[in-house]
Amino acid sequence: MLTMHNPYPILKTACLKKILLTVLLLLGSVASRAQESMPLKPVKKNYFQWELAAPIKQNEAFGEDEEQPFFRPGGAYLRVGFGRRVVDWMSLGLHTGIEWKSDPGLVSAPVFGNIKIAPKLSQDDEVRPFVSFGYGKVFVLNKDRFSGNFLRGNLGLDVAVLSENEERQKGVLSVFIEISYYHFKPEDFDNLSTFNIGLGYTFL
């Protein structure tokens, strides 16, 4: 008796190969265009950065009082970091800081590695969009001082700050939105995710 094999695993594998090939071709095209618009030699510069941010929460009093804003700040963050621009459009660094969250009343200090990608989209190179990702540990400084894992993702705009004679770029002013995730080890403490709005400055 002849038995028919199920064709779906084969079709699924073929589709995955086509998708992977398409992604590789797109990445190759983006890389070739980036090489045309960016200098051939990597720009290696150290940087120092600070960030101010505030977690934004929905205001519970908005429904009861129309004069109340829909969102309200839920704390304040101050972070600093240093690292190196490995190429003109990518930097790697180590960042830390201190964060206060009004609800649930946490004071914490994240320590994380950060990667930032800011492609050049125009010839003047004064404004660039960027995306950055950070991963590391967070240490709670109150509430029995426990720790956990930390993850963040940023999306924003970089604006070049030029020297007085406008011959070189001395810094970068950044505005961004951020999603931070805190995975704490104690099972009786809820994990946190926050939506943040921030401002930063990078010294080059």
Side-chain angles (χ1 to χ4, degrees):
M1 180 180 295
L2 296 176
T3 58
M4 298 296 292
H5 295 284
N6 186 0
Y8 293 108
I10 299 176
L11 293 175
K12 185 181 296 185
T13 303
C15 291
L16 289 175
K17 288 182 178 180
K18 289 181 179 180
I19 293 173
L20 181 60
L21 181 60
T22 302
V23 171
L24 290 175
L25 290 174
L26 288 174
L27 289 176
S29 176
V30 170
S32 63
R33 292 181 181 180
Q35 290 179 355
E36 292 176 359
S37 61
M38 296 178 184
L40 296 176
K41 294 182 179 180
V43 179
K44 294 185 177 180
K45 292 183 179 180
N46 296 330
Y47 74 83
F48 175 77
Q49 181 185 72
W50 61 261
E51 293 176 350
L52 292 173
I56 303 299
K57 303 187 66 174
Q58 183 178 352
N59 191 353
E60 295 83 358
F62 174 75
E64 301 175 359
D65 186 355
E66 296 181 355
E67 296 183 358
Q68 292 287 334
F70 184 75
F71 291 108
R72 65 176 178 86
Y77 300 167
L78 172 62
R79 299 187 186 132
V80 295
F82 67 93
R84 194 166 184 86
R85 296 171 67 187
V86 292
V87 291
D88 181 61
W89 50 273
M90 183 177 70
S91 60
L92 300 174
L94 181 65
H95 293 228
T96 186
I98 187 166
E99 304 179 350
W100 167 64
K101 304 170 188 63
S102 59
D103 184 13
L106 279 183
V107 179
S108 59
V111 179
F112 57 96
N114 193 73
I115 179 172
K116 179 178 179 179
I117 298 174
K120 179 179 178 180
L121 299 182
S122 62
Q123 292 298 325
D124 57 16
D125 197 24
E126 292 186 3
V127 179
R128 293 192 185 195
F130 75 85
V131 59
S132 69
F133 298 96
Y135 180 76
K137 301 289 289 185
V138 59
F139 302 91
V140 176
L141 305 181
N142 60 351
K143 295 185 180 294
D144 297 331
R145 299 186 178 182
F146 53 89
S147 63
N149 296 325
F150 174 78
L151 176 67
R152 80 161 188 175
N154 286 21
L155 181 65
L157 284 177
D158 280 347
V159 180
V161 178
L162 305 179
S163 60
E164 293 181 0
N165 54 12
E166 297 186 356
E167 291 183 357
R168 68 179 184 88
Q169 182 179 347
K170 65 177 183 180
V172 178
L173 181 65
S174 305
V175 291
F176 60 87
I177 58 175
E178 172 185 295
I179 295 178
S180 299
Y181 178 71
Y182 306 81
H183 182 260
F184 296 114
K185 295 298 176 64
E187 296 181 358
D188 59 344
F189 196 92
D190 293 335
N191 298 322
L192 293 177
S193 59
T194 61
F195 176 78
N196 316 313
I197 297 178
L199 178 71
Y201 188 86
T202 304
F203 298 89
L204 300 176

